[in-house]
Amino acid sequence: MLLSGSQILIECLKEQGVDTIFGYPGGSVLNIYDELYQHPEIRHILTSHEQGASHAADGYARSTGRVGVCLATSGPGATNLVTGIATAYMDSVPMVAITGNVPTPLLGKDSFQEVDIAGITMPITKHSFIVKDIEKLADTIRRAFEIAQEGRPGPVLVDITKDVTAAKTDYERTAPKLISRVTNTITEHDIETAVKMIGKAKKPMIFVGGGAVISNAEQELREFVEKVDAPVTDTLMGKGAFSGDSEYYTGMLGMHGTKTANLSVTECDLLIVVGARFSDRVTGNASKFAKKAKILQIDIDRAEINKNIVVDHCVVGDVKAVLDILNRKIEKQYHKEWIEHVMAKKDAMPVKYPKDRLTGQFVIEKIYELTGGDAIITTEVGQHQMWASQFYKYKKPRTFLTSGGLGTMGYGLGASIGAKVANPDKMVFNIAGDGCFRMNMNEIATAVRYQIPIIQVVCNNGVLGMVRQWQTLFYGKRYSHTVLEDKVDFVKLAEAMGAKAYRITTMEETEAVLKEAMALNEPVVIDCMIHCDDKVWPMVAPGAAIEEVFSEEDLESKK
């Protein structure tokens, strides 16, 4: 069958089961968009900015496990995807970013809207392709989807010159390659050693990261926790892999982790790390991390072993597969005294916030109460992100979507659109600060255009909250360029873009507004006016060990 490059691209996307593309047209992709016009079976969401398209593809992927797809033109269109591609790379999100480029004869001549996007994205993708020969187009698209999904997932870029989208060649439909779990790296010796370590432990602790979510290991993890009989902590990326309302759960680990989790990891004699990479925000001072414990790491990526923390033993392979084997090998363990000891800490050291006025924590708790923990929560980055991790209990994987590794302000709104498009029956909230909301708030217009009923909650404190918190604690209250002294009215702004909007100033108003927003089934912005000095507690100071975690009360007592 003789097809143009644009037709071959669309057919290859259909081969891969792609039902949605997030993008923005331009000269170098006009042939692709012209062909897309003929294929209503692939829904195209025109975002307000290419960065919004990349984050929407990311949110689609994180919430489903399927590959997210975004599309942009050459030059500035392509470079506008870069932040979203890097975000997906840091958090191992399967995504295929397709860009157009100038015709092949114009490459390397500083042509209009020419940029080497394959070269630019090489460090932030699993692979970057540039297609200059139509004979290679179909196989490149297929290979891009394979690479995005196989092993540790991540983004892949495919740059296609405009002449390739117009040229013609034969096309033959091919079924997608079956992506297998990585099990060939799992050895009997590694499993037996892990079983022995677990059997000897008196005070084990299980530390869960994003790998457990990515591998869909929820069921195996729950069985593993019950068999090992150990308390559980997690990372931002790991939330929902193990239920936040479980009796074993101690809260998040690290800089803004709970005292219970941080102190228990410091005290345990075996730390079992399930799909986590020991981010610096988790470990604090790496030389002092979990010094009393043997460390057993389970991870699909051998490059993560001994990279940030030297471990005593590892099992390299797909988390779901490894846990399944371990569950069949290990005998039921009993650590009643250790668990009671840890949970006594949890009862004695809860995460608290002011109850005499409207706060971001209160709003997030109220969202949890009204949704029963059954919503998808996306966030931007900062104080509100930490509050969303602390005060909403994630019971299922793929329900908390946030930029963990790159820390991308402006991520959440696009991600919420992608998540809602992929999960139309789920309630989707994006939690933002006012500083983050400004980054990509134009995507409210996208939600309105397509009537995508996301609920945008803005924790509006008039400052860049997390940076200001650091300035308060570590920079002598010198608030250098963190006070947002302007008169932007988010309610009027949202209404101008066609969304329904509310402003909340008191605790008493909150429930009624949230209930009304949830019932509307249309895009809503809720501007929540909170105090500029509200902080995220507890906290570990930069460079400190995680056991040096302190609360506001600890700080006051030192004074």
Side-chain angles (χ1 to χ4, degrees), residues 34 127 324:
D34 191 52
H127 198 90
D324 181 57

Side-chain angles (χ1 to χ4, degrees), residues 12-148:
C12 287
L13 293 177
K14 288 164 62 178
E15 284 178 8
Q16 299 295 327
V18 173
D19 56 16
T20 307
I21 297 174
F22 304 90
Y24 205 99
S28 291
V29 287
L30 273 175
N31 293 333
I32 296 171
Y33 271 88
D34 191 52
E35 184 59 33
L36 198 56
Y37 187 82
Q38 314 296 326
H39 291 274
E41 67 271 27
I42 298 180
R43 185 182 187 188
H44 181 277
I45 302 293
L46 174 66
T47 53
S48 298
H49 189 283
E50 291 92 349
Q51 186 178 340
S54 61
H55 293 325
D58 178 304
Y60 180 101
R62 292 196 206 215
S63 64
T64 62
R66 303 197 298 272
V67 178
V69 180
C70 55
L71 172 61
T73 193
S74 61
T79 58
N80 282 344
L81 295 178
V82 167
T83 298
I85 293 170
T87 300
Y89 183 72
M90 289 289 280
D91 291 342
S92 304
V93 179
M95 187 166 83
V96 172
I98 300 167
T99 56
N101 214 325
V102 300
T104 304
L106 296 181
L107 287 174
K109 297 182 179 180
D110 293 332
S111 305
F112 178 67
Q113 289 194 333
E114 180 197 357
V115 73
D116 179 12
I117 193 63
I120 288 170
T121 58
M122 193 175 295
I124 54 168
T125 55
K126 287 187 74 179
H127 198 90
S128 292
F129 295 95
I130 179 166
V131 183
K132 297 181 283 186
D133 178 355
I134 190 171
E135 301 297 333
K136 297 179 181 178
L137 178 60
D139 286 343
T140 300
I141 297 297
R142 292 163 184 152
R143 184 65 186 132
F145 275 83
E146 291 170 13
I147 293 171

Side-chain angles (χ1 to χ4, degrees), residues 217-231:
E218 175 190 10
Q219 183 177 334
E220 289 77 9
L221 178 61
R222 184 168 60 247
E223 182 182 345
F224 183 70
V225 170
E226 291 171 356
K227 272 206 151 185
V228 177
D229 197 32

Side-chain angles (χ1 to χ4, degrees), residues 78-299:
T79 58
N80 282 344
L81 295 178
V82 167
T83 298
I85 293 170
T87 300
Y89 183 72
M90 289 289 280
D91 291 342
S92 304
V93 179
M95 187 166 83
V96 172
I98 300 167
T99 56
N101 214 325
V102 300
T104 304
L106 296 181
L107 287 174
K109 297 182 179 180
D110 293 332
S111 305
F112 178 67
Q113 289 194 333
E114 180 197 357
V115 73
D116 179 12
I117 193 63
I120 288 170
T121 58
M122 193 175 295
I124 54 168
T125 55
K126 287 187 74 179
H127 198 90
S128 292
F129 295 95
I130 179 166
V131 183
K132 297 181 283 186
D133 178 355
I134 190 171
E135 301 297 333
K136 297 179 181 178
L137 178 60
D139 286 343
T140 300
I141 297 297
R142 292 163 184 152
R143 184 65 186 132
F145 275 83
E146 291 170 13
I147 293 171
Q149 298 172 85
E150 64 190 8
R152 181 178 182 173
V156 177
L157 178 116
V158 181
D159 191 37
I160 309 171
T161 59
K162 189 171 182 179
D163 54 311
V164 167
T165 66
K168 291 189 175 183
T169 193
D170 285 321
Y171 161 80
E172 185 175 338
R173 183 177 175 84
T174 301
K177 178 182 174 183
L178 181 66
I179 306 298
S180 302
R181 294 186 179 275
V182 177
T183 58
N184 61 329
T185 54
I186 305 170
T187 70
E188 187 68 27
H189 171 265
D190 287 343
I191 291 293
E192 291 303 324
T193 304
V195 169
K196 288 176 184 176
M197 291 176 75
I198 292 167
K200 289 179 181 178
K202 304 299 182 188
K203 296 188 288 184
M205 190 89 181
I206 297 172
F207 172 38
V208 179
V213 174
I214 293 167
S215 69
N216 298 312
E218 175 190 10
Q219 183 177 334
E220 289 77 9
L221 178 61
R222 184 168 60 247
E223 182 182 345
F224 183 70
V225 170
E226 291 171 356
K227 272 206 151 185
V228 177
D229 197 32
V232 177
T233 182
D234 58 14
T235 66
L236 273 177
M237 294 293 95
K239 291 211 162 289
F242 186 76
S243 178
D245 67 354
S246 167
E247 60 185 3
Y248 285 105
Y249 186 64
T250 65
M252 190 170 67
L253 185 67
M255 179 172 282
H256 292 295
T258 64
K259 282 190 171 184
T260 306
N262 284 8
L263 296 176
S264 298
V265 164
T266 303
E267 193 177 345
C268 73
D269 64 2
L270 176 65
L271 183 63
I272 306 170
V273 185
V274 182
R277 61 182 179 83
F278 296 111
S279 158
D280 58 294
R281 287 297 172 101
V282 161
T283 63
N285 187 326
S287 66
K288 298 180 180 179
F289 180 76
K291 297 307 290 183
K292 296 179 182 178
K294 297 281 188 183
I295 299 178
L296 167 62
Q297 185 176 4
I298 301 167
D299 203 284

